[in-house]
Amino acid sequence: MQYTKPLAKLIEYFQKLPSIGPKSAQRMALHLLKMPGGEVEKFADAMIEAKNTIKYCEICFNMSSQSPCEICSSTKRDKETICVVAETKDLMAIEKTNEYNGVYHVLQGLISPMDGIGAEEIRIKELLKRVHENDVKEVILALSPSVEGEATSMYLSRLLKPFGIKVSRIAFGLPLGSELEYADELTLIRALEGRRAM
Amino acid sequence: MQYTKPLAKLIEYFQKLPSIGPKSAQRMALHLLKMPGGEVEKFADAMIEAKNTIKYCEICFNMSSQSPCEICSSTKRDKETICVVAETKDLMAIEKTNEYNGVYHVLQGLISPMDGIGAEEIRIKELLKRVHENDVKEVILALSPSVEGEATSMYLSRLLKPFGIKVSRIAFGLPLGSELEYADELTLIRALEGRRAM
């Protein structure tokens, strides 16, 4: 079918968003057309404002409207512990637990030779510089248990050890609320390896 | 956690879209921030343009940037057959089949006493006027098999019969590719009722 032109264009843009197919894009566009005109304008303004004001923090490379970001400039955060994550969304996931009080370092990617991403392409040298120039006691690697996450973790741990600091990695195992019988083998292997004395 | 302000605002707007929860909204907002600035501006413009230019067709109440809409003003469409749908998205679903060559009437809702929507609130009198003033041979009711869809279909068929035209309703039964054993009872009852001679 032919969408009327301005609608077709809007649907096309919604489809550029992650995991949005043609059906969801159409639903969103039609929903938008039913919103009051003022709301649509504010939504559009919010997009442009966020894009124009949000930059990367010069210390940890978190996305923020200020640099250093809110976390790096907070006096309440423990600057001696750095949690290394791949992306800002991982940082957000950890912040939501309200349990971590250290600072972060966002690598902006993972080493992935298959995609042509080497150690130079991500923020590794900036991390080493931070550890070198500041009084850091522990680096926690919070990278996904994927091939790229494993490789990046191994690589980082080798580079960080010579600094004589504690380098740890988050635990992998059964997610809470899951059933052991449905866990995949790799998760079970990790859960067994990571067993702790009670 | 605290999002940086412009990001919080953007996520809030994405959450207003249908079936978008906090996680999807966050993913969309972060994705948007990684898009080139020019693209974000064009996306925002597309929203405002669509909202400002798309109106309801004065004949069939389809959403379009022109009135009468593309379908009502096409000389290739059969004006003697009107397919009645609840919403523009239903019209779009039928258009995508490329099988229907008549015109439409978008009711902009269904009769739903529970939600306080009576026959006056939707475009029923406009449909009757269309049938009365034009040479219409058939009205196809393409409303969902829900309580509201059933009620609206029954109501419309009673109002339309006196015009001496054909009033039909789309078939309900097993969807193609489905397994009979998994069909729910109501669908099976409808499938049996709607059986046709081979």
Side-chain angles (χ1 to χ4, degrees), chain B residues 121-135:
Chain B
E121 265 76 42
I122 60 176
R123 303 291 184 173
I124 291 181
K125 59 177 184 301
E126 289 87 348
L127 172 64
L128 298 178
K129 193 163 168 267
R130 261 179 97 178
V131 172
H132 180 68
E133 292 176 358
N134 298 282
D135 192 15

Side-chain angles (χ1 to χ4, degrees), chain B residues 12-198:
Chain B
E12 190 189 303
Y13 276 106
F14 272 119
Q15 266 191 261
K16 293 187 180 184
L17 296 174
S19 58
I20 299 302
K23 277 213 169 173
S24 305
Q26 178 193 299
R27 192 160 6 116
M28 287 177 179
L30 290 178
H31 181 88
L32 202 84
L33 293 176
K34 289 193 166 184
M35 278 165 63
E39 278 291 283
V40 175
E41 236 162 83
K42 276 189 221 156
F43 190 170
D45 287 347
M47 283 169 57
I48 293 172
E49 193 201 337
K51 180 66 194 173
N52 288 343
T53 58
I54 294 179
K55 313 265 169 263
Y56 292 111
C57 168
E58 65 200 74
I59 298 175
C60 75
F61 303 97
N62 175 22
M63 280 177 175
S64 176
S65 51
Q66 59 182 76
S67 181
C69 72
E70 287 89 343
I71 296 170
C72 285
S73 51
S74 163
T75 54
K76 287 180 192 142
R77 309 288 297 225
D78 165 21
K79 304 276 163 34
E80 296 183 337
T81 308
I82 298 179
C83 178
V84 178
V85 293
E87 301 284 354
T88 301
K89 59 176 184 278
D90 303 324
L91 177 157
M92 288 173 171
I94 295 174
E95 278 297 280
K96 276 181 188 149
T97 65
N98 276 322
E99 282 293 326
Y100 178 68
N101 195 40
V103 290
Y104 292 91
H105 191 86
V106 183
L107 290 178
Q108 299 186 329
L110 290 171
I111 297 174
S112 172
M114 296 279 281
D115 304 309
I117 303 172
E120 295 299 301
E121 265 76 42
I122 60 176
R123 303 291 184 173
I124 291 181
K125 59 177 184 301
E126 289 87 348
L127 172 64
L128 298 178
K129 193 163 168 267
R130 261 179 97 178
V131 172
H132 180 68
E133 292 176 358
N134 298 282
D135 192 15
V136 174
K137 297 232 153 52
E138 180 174 4
V139 172
I140 302 169
L141 302 175
L143 308 176
S144 298
S146 61
V147 176
E148 293 80 13
E150 297 286 332
T152 312
S153 297
M154 298 303 271
Y155 184 81
L156 283 177
S157 104
R158 223 177 313 149
L159 289 176
L160 289 166
K161 284 268 172 69
F163 289 100
I165 57 172
K166 196 174 161 192
V167 179
S168 62
R169 191 159 179 212
I170 54 165
F172 300 114
L174 290 189
L176 297 201
S178 69
E179 300 277 355
L180 195 140
E181 61 172 324
Y182 299 127
D184 62 286
E185 288 161 37
L186 290 176
T187 301
L188 273 181
I189 291 171
R190 283 308 198 76
L192 284 168
E193 282 175 358
R195 68 188 181 278
R196 295 170 65 171
M198 292 181 60

Side-chain angles (χ1 to χ4, degrees), chain A residues 82 84 105 123-131 156:
Chain A
I82 298 178
V84 178
H105 190 86
R123 304 290 184 174
I124 291 181
K125 59 176 185 299
E126 290 86 349
L127 173 63
L128 298 178
K129 192 161 170 269
R130 262 179 95 178
V131 172
L156 282 178

